[in-house]
Amino acid sequence: MLCVLRVVFYFNVLFCYCCHGYFNENYGFGIEYQWVYLNYTWPSPAHYQWAISTKTYIPQNNAPVGIKIYRNLLFVSIPRFREGIPATLTVLDRLTASRTNPLLTPYPSWSANGISNCHGLQSIQSMEVDTRGIMWIIDGVRINNLTTCPPKLVLLDLNNDGRLVHSYVFKPEISLGQGGFLNDLVVEDVDGGYAYITDNSGIDPGIIVYSRRKNRAWKLRDGSMFAERRASNFAVADVAFNNSVPVDGIALSPKTINGERILYYCALTSFTLYSILTNVIRDEDNLNSGSWRNFVTPVGTLTSQVDGIAIDSQANMYFTLLPLYGVGRWNLNDPLESTQMIHQDPRTTIWPDGFAFDQEGVLYVISNQVFRYIDPRSTPPINSNVKFRILGTFIGTRSYLYG
Ligand SMILES: *[C@@H]1O[C@H](CO)[C@@H](O)[C@H](O)[C@H]1NC(C)=O
Ligand SMILES: *[C@@H]1O[C@H](CO)[C@@H](O)[C@H](O)[C@H]1NC(C)=O
Ligand SMILES: *[C@@H]1O[C@H](CO)[C@@H](O)[C@H](O)[C@H]1NC(C)=O
């Protein structure tokens, strides 16, 4: 019965979009990598046996979330949503990895991914790579008791085998060690480098601004970062959602003619996209006076609930359209309502989560059914179906960092 309802809903939506002239271009997203289960390049068969027998590795509990690319390396994060995740930051080599069930190699090492000491990488959802090859990593999934380490921002030098460049621990008034959820980030190469980070915490949601030069972080909290009740109900595959999920997607524009950049963000269960100039929020004095709120701008209405968003060097924003099993594209210079669906496939694109750009003009999106993993009440499936896919398509542009 549920299934029938869902199919009708799906075709209604599809019909609706056809009427509005959407879906007229096929961007040809193809499957680049796919997994039934995640598995790793273990140091030895004995290590693998030990990890299985001690439940350090529970294959069905591992789900990939964040993806980013540097040269031939594809980085994949695996947040510790559940037990049995042996590494939270991993890499595969695009030149040699197999396309089906490629093994993941912990990055920069197995020991750096150890959960037993707080200097190690604990639970990572997202990362970004700046134009110098420094990876900015948010180690801040703190929605369970699997780690008690405070959330942190970690900078690794990808040109030096992931050498640790810097680590910054967030105080609890910025992100909670119990209940914080550093979700996604963008970086800006200005005044020594800034990161803008969404904290999807159900307790204290907001956007964190981090200045590398000042080595300080501050947090923006605003109603625009909360969920909207009208967007709380939607369905993906066989699961109906009735949740309030705050600020999640975050994207940075290329430079405007004034040399400024605009930050875009949205709550997961919301239909409103917001923006703010980064020069407003980089000034901590504006935070203290509250005057920054005058610059928060509602941009328009989104096509559906979205998770990850990303902008390329030509000012095109890409959206993950969760209940539509697809990807939308909008040029920042046009009205948001002109968003086009450039991909839709309910078979391969079950919960498109986030994006990555390579240097050769390909846009990647990961689809990971993350709702089956993140909710402790759900049971991850054990079967031979493909569960995770990285899809790619040629767009001919690079990320916002190069625009
Ligand atoms: C995981 O990979 C190792 C090689 O690193 C292999 O020996 C093992 O059989 C694999 N396990 C599963 C469940 O695929
Ligand atoms: C974490 O542990 C604390 C204290 O034992 C408990 O109150 C809390 O409910 C736990 N949280 C989760 C998400 O399990
Ligand atoms: C969603 O949850 C709210 C509060 O928990 C409840 O009042 C409402 O009836 C629910 N809606 C649906 C469609 O399940």
Side-chain angles (χ1 to χ4, degrees), residues 69-329:
I69 289 165
Y70 186 65
R71 301 202 167 138
N72 58 318
L73 301 180
L74 169 62
F75 294 89
V76 179
S77 75
I78 304 114
R80 285 181 163 119
F81 293 139
R82 318 183 80 87
E83 294 189 325
I85 290 148
T88 187
L89 182 65
T90 67
V91 69
L92 63 76
D93 186 333
R94 296 197 288 158
L95 301 177
T96 55
S98 76
R99 298 213 156 216
T100 298
N101 297 324
L103 296 177
L104 299 171
T105 299
Y107 192 86
S109 63
W110 278 102
S111 61
N113 277 271
I115 199 168
S116 57
N117 104 51
C118 288
H119 295 297
L121 301 173
Q122 300 292 309
S123 190
I124 296 168
Q125 163 115 346
S126 298
M127 52 278 178
E128 178 61 296
V129 183
D130 71 18
T131 55
R132 296 180 178 84
I134 303 294
M135 177 177 272
W136 300 54
I137 299 161
I138 42 174
D139 179 0
V141 181
R142 299 294 186 268
I143 54 174
N144 56 42
N145 286 348
L146 296 174
T147 172
T148 53
C149 298
K152 60 185 184 289
L153 176 71
V154 179
L155 273 58
L156 302 181
D157 184 356
L158 302 186
N159 292 316
N160 281 293
D161 298 323
R163 183 181 62 87
L164 179 67
V165 175
H166 189 58
S167 181
Y168 178 82
V169 173
F170 293 104
K171 296 194 178 82
E173 55 267 35
I174 300 293
S175 189
L176 295 165
Q178 284 287 325
F181 189 169
L182 301 183
N183 194 284
D184 202 357
L185 80 163
V186 287
V187 301
E188 183 171 15
D189 185 10
V190 63
D191 192 17
Y194 275 79
Y196 311 107
I197 303 162
T198 51
D199 189 340
N200 183 245
S201 168
I203 305 165
D204 182 22
I207 293 178
I208 297 165
V209 179
Y210 169 77
S211 162
R212 172 99 165 88
R213 185 174 60 76
K214 296 180 183 161
N215 200 34
R216 283 181 61 80
W218 49 97
K219 189 169 194 174
L220 312 172
R221 297 172 175 90
D222 187 63
S224 60
M225 299 164 193
F226 296 166
E228 291 177 352
R229 182 172 282 275
R230 63 176 178 146
S232 58
N233 282 288
F234 66 103
V236 171
D238 51 353
V239 178
F241 298 90
N242 179 17
N243 295 338
S244 288
V245 186
V247 66
D248 178 309
I250 190 163
L252 193 60
S253 77
K255 280 188 187 139
T256 64
I257 45 173
N258 304 324
E260 291 299 335
R261 291 182 192 263
I262 304 167
L263 189 70
Y264 291 84
Y265 60 90
C266 53
L268 192 148
T269 55
S270 166
F271 293 133
T272 312
L273 180 71
Y274 291 91
S275 72
I276 189 159
L277 276 165
T278 61
N279 69 2
V280 172
I281 58 174
R282 286 202 307 271
D283 184 345
E284 208 179 341
D285 293 338
N286 286 339
L287 175 80
N288 298 331
S289 71
S291 62
W292 67 275
R293 287 204 178 84
N294 299 331
F295 295 87
V296 171
T297 307
V299 178
T301 302
L302 294 160
T303 309
S304 75
Q305 292 85 353
V306 309
D307 192 335
I309 59 178
I311 303 175
D312 71 10
S313 51
Q314 296 295 316
N316 297 299
M317 185 184 288
Y318 298 89
F319 307 90
T320 56
L321 302 173
L322 298 176
L324 302 176
Y325 309 92
V327 174
R329 189 189 66 163

Side-chain angles (χ1 to χ4, degrees), residues 31-42 57 59 62 64 74 76 90-93 96-105 373 383-390:
I31 295 169
E32 300 287 332
Y33 302 98
Q34 58 182 0
W35 289 268
V36 177
Y37 295 115
L38 298 190
N39 191 4
Y40 300 83
T41 52
W42 300 93
Y57 172 47
N62 288 249
L74 169 62
V76 179
T90 67
V91 69
L92 63 76
D93 186 333
T96 55
S98 76
R99 298 213 156 216
T100 298
N101 297 324
L103 296 177
L104 299 171
T105 299
Y373 300 87
N383 57 44
S384 59
N385 299 338
V386 170
K387 297 163 193 74
F388 320 116
R389 293 179 180 86
I390 297 176

